[in-house]
Amino acid sequence: MNRPRSVLVVDDDAHILEVLEMRLTSMGFAVTATVDAEAALAALGTRGFDAALFDLRMDPIDGIALTRAAHARQPRLPVLIMTAHGTIENAVEAIKEGAFDFLTKPFVTEELRGKLARAVADRRWARDRNLLRTVGETLASAASMDRVLSAVAEGTMEATETERTVVFLRESDRLVPKASAGTSSTPLDRLAPAAEAAIARRGSVTMGGAEGRATLAVPLMVAGTPEGALVVENPSHVVATDDDLDLLRVFASQGAVALGNARELSRLRSGALAALGRVASQVAHELNNPLGGLALYARLLEDRFKTAGDEEGVQLTHKVGRAVKHLADLVTDITAYGRPPELKREPTSLNALIEECLSLVQDRVVDKEIRVVSKLAPDVGTVLADARELKKVLLNLFVNALEAMEPHGTLTIRTQRADERTIEASVEDTGCGIDDETRARMFDLFFTTKANGTGLGMPIARSVVDRHGGRLDIDSEPGVGTRVRIELPRQ
């Protein structure tokens, strides 16, 4: 059942206040009536209202000043100004100051009912329409899934006037919070049971929480399967309505569309990249022999120029040799991506591997005067992994981070036990950051933003982590920096 719409009424005439309270109650509204403007402001700070009626002429705070103060606490609250016939011009001025409409005294019941109903309805539909338009535009812009889910969380919080909104997605055998809006003292893991219940039920659920809070959850259905849930936590003074649940379902459907689109795009892209990798691997194989011959000829020419004392010729053959080596390295990378070697797993200390890789890039660290912060947890232990392959990943991440930073930047490397079965490592820089468009294509084969890049480093890094049964995620903000996080199973 829907709760009654709540109305706050303020008038310094106790008789008018009493009459209004009776009329509004008979219309089905839950009325809070007071002659004290300060008491009204106190009420606005502790609970939500669907509409308010303020008398224009009051002391010491008039209706216009009270409207401004009310909107400072509840910006979308529709306020109707009550006025006598002789002060309609002032009431019109009040509308310019943010009031929704005005009512003339003495009141006509149908006018009172009609304007209040319109105020409540216009407020909800104007608000919801704008929020849904924002989410829809974000979805249509081909933005990243993270950005769409963030828009869903923020839009839901505003539309339902809740305390916090969280989008949970199922990954492996657990629910992971992927986007949130608002703040609350409740830990995120305590909202997960509501998400689990909505997924299990395949429908909306309402659960009680701490301090009288209520938690609502709606599943994100992708192709008929619940893949996550949209969860909102209401403060104790906000009572959810059927309209709120309907709106929650609409926003959840937007999140589900974003998730479905992202997965379909990933599937299509993976197939295309796999095919491209196979073709590139065949081409690379055909290039190996000619490149080996070119490298040999370059060395022979260099020896002849040295014998002849031709320093310019020596420099030219150096350039040829470097170009050939670059092509050979590219061929090696393409082959590694298209035909990855079989993993040779053995117990490997992730911390020791990180220290080894850091030593290999020490010259770059010194040249740029980079500050390296190592926060390697001593209790991470070992992972069952191919150390040679993981070394490629770490070196790629370190070099990318160092190249992204200006001199005197900070490189932070962390390791920790995510849980009993998983070890987490992260590489964080204070570089230029990555925009959404670039981040969406970072794992595309041959995509690069570097002048001399091959566009193979990150695809190979993800491929290695995937083959270890782990995951690689990137968080970045342009102008702030980038954090790459790797999760690896211990066994």
Side-chain angles (χ1 to χ4, degrees), residues 394-453:
L394 293 170
L395 281 173
N396 181 266
L397 298 184
F398 292 167
V399 170
N400 284 349
L402 292 169
E403 289 180 350
M405 290 188 285
E406 297 294 328
H408 309 291
T410 300
L411 175 66
T412 304
I413 299 102
R414 294 183 176 88
T415 59
Q416 63 180 7
R417 297 180 72 162
D419 53 46
E420 288 302 315
R421 296 179 296 174
T422 310
I423 289 178
E424 180 181 306
S426 65
V427 179
E428 186 173 350
D429 65 61
T430 56
C432 56
I434 306 167
D435 60 35
D436 285 345
E437 182 179 354
T438 301
R439 186 170 58 169
R441 298 194 59 194
M442 280 196 67
F443 301 106
D444 286 2
L445 201 59
F446 303 124
F447 174 77
T448 182
T449 58
K450 301 177 183 178
N452 297 313

Side-chain angles (χ1 to χ4, degrees), residues 203-266:
S204 59
V205 298
T206 302
M207 301 176 66
E211 300 175 0
R213 292 184 176 92
T215 303
L216 286 71
V218 174
L220 273 64
M221 304 295 292
V222 180
T225 301
E227 299 289 354
L230 177 61
V231 180
V232 301
E233 184 183 24
N234 283 346
S236 57
H237 66 267
V238 174
V239 180
T241 67
D242 290 343
D243 287 344
D244 289 330
L245 281 172
D246 287 341
L247 196 58
L248 201 58
R249 293 185 190 100
V250 172
F251 278 105
S253 69
Q254 297 274 30
V257 169
L259 182 58
N261 287 348
R263 289 185 175 175
E264 179 64 13
L265 180 61
S266 177

Side-chain angles (χ1 to χ4, degrees), residues 64 79 81 89-102:
I64 294 177
V79 176
I81 293 294
E89 289 183 2
N90 302 88
V92 172
E93 184 62 29
I95 292 175
K96 293 179 181 178
E97 292 291 330
F100 177 80
D101 206 339
F102 65 90

Side-chain angles (χ1 to χ4, degrees), residues 8 44 49-52 54 70-71 74-79 98 100 123:
L8 175 64
L44 286 165
F49 289 92
D50 294 300
F54 297 157
H71 283 160
Q74 296 186 25
R76 294 192 301 272
L77 177 70
V79 176
F100 177 80
R123 172 196 186 224

Side-chain angles (χ1 to χ4, degrees), residues 7 21 31 47 70 80 95 130 142-143 194 221-222 240 253 321 334 357 390 444:
V7 178
E21 184 174 7
V31 183
R47 57 169 299 191
L80 281 77
I95 292 175
N130 289 336
M221 304 295 292
V222 180
S253 69
I334 292 172
C357 292
L390 282 187
D444 286 2

